[in-house]
Amino acid sequence: MATKEDRGQQRYIDHLLKVTFRICHWNEEGALIGRSSGFMYKKNENSPILVITAGHNTPPDGSFIETSHMHNGQTAALLAGHFNVFYEEDGIDYAYSILPVETIQKSLENDMAFEFKVYNMPFVKAVKDEAYGFAVKNNYEFVRSGNTLVLPQYLCTELYLTLDEQDEHINYFLPSRTINTHEYYRGASGSPIADVEGRICSILIGGTEPRKHLKGFRLDNIELP
């Protein structure tokens, strides 16, 4: 039987999964060059909807938001728009685009139906002695099963992260367990990191070597449209 703590964890994960989505990046030749994660943000009623993700490995153009809808045997994806990319190694690491709502609406087929939760609360400063976490449905590379290529999916999540260090741009979180392999987190960069009330403080951008911290780029310290 699930305990009260187990049920609380599941509600927290379910909330993050409604906010967080995968982003696939394609080059001009139509080849998949990478995946990341992100979320939608709207500052106020008159602001545009932004797509926020990590800056590293995000091209300005050629990115699409993965949905849970299957169309013609493939996962339907939405145009993510033109990204403004801000990235400096060991410093600034984020990107945002204005979601091209009208273009997306014109491209939808009649049988397509899906929903994303848009985050509309202020970003908060991470503090010590509080718990943080992230969760995204992730996948490894394609593997062959008989004559079929399949994409194994798993839940990439970390709960009970605690703030250990903080500088102008980066939150350094200590995990509650041994940090997983790099492959486990591949594609999770850009996932929003939130407190127990669902308030986002930063986005996942990687880890440190040796493997001690998970790094989050602070969103409370930047200006967005």
Side-chain angles (χ1 to χ4, degrees), residues 87-146:
Y87 175 65
E88 297 175 4
E89 192 170 354
D90 296 326
I92 296 174
D93 192 348
Y94 74 103
Y96 74 85
S97 70
I98 295 177
L99 186 70
V101 176
E102 291 186 5
T103 301
I104 290 172
Q105 290 175 337
K106 292 177 181 178
S107 69
L108 296 180
E109 301 286 346
N110 291 333
D111 64 339
M112 289 185 179
F114 33 78
E115 181 179 356
F116 291 101
K117 184 175 180 63
V118 178
Y119 182 81
N120 59 8
M121 295 187 293
F123 298 121
V124 298
K125 180 181 179 180
V127 296
K128 293 191 175 184
D129 300 321
E130 293 287 344
Y132 299 89
F134 66 87
V136 62
K137 289 183 179 178
N138 212 352
N139 54 260
Y140 294 115
E141 298 300 320
F142 283 100
V143 296
R144 184 170 294 280
S145 176

Side-chain angles (χ1 to χ4, degrees), residues 1 17 31 37 57:
M1 180 180 294
L17 291 179
S37 300
N57 297 330

Side-chain angles (χ1 to χ4, degrees), residues 22-23 25 32-37 56-57 66 134 136-142 151-152 154-157 179-191 204-207 214:
R22 293 288 306 277
I23 304 174
H25 309 295
L32 181 66
I33 58 175
R35 285 187 172 92
S36 61
S37 300
H56 66 275
N57 297 330
E66 295 180 346
F134 66 87
V136 62
K137 289 183 179 178
N138 212 352
N139 54 260
Y140 294 115
E141 298 300 320
F142 283 100
L151 199 60
Y154 65 98
L155 181 62
C156 178
T157 183
I179 292 179
N180 261 295
T181 63
H182 176 71
E183 184 182 14
Y184 175 80
Y185 301 107
R186 188 187 303 275
S189 289
S191 298
L204 180 69
I205 58 172
L214 289 175

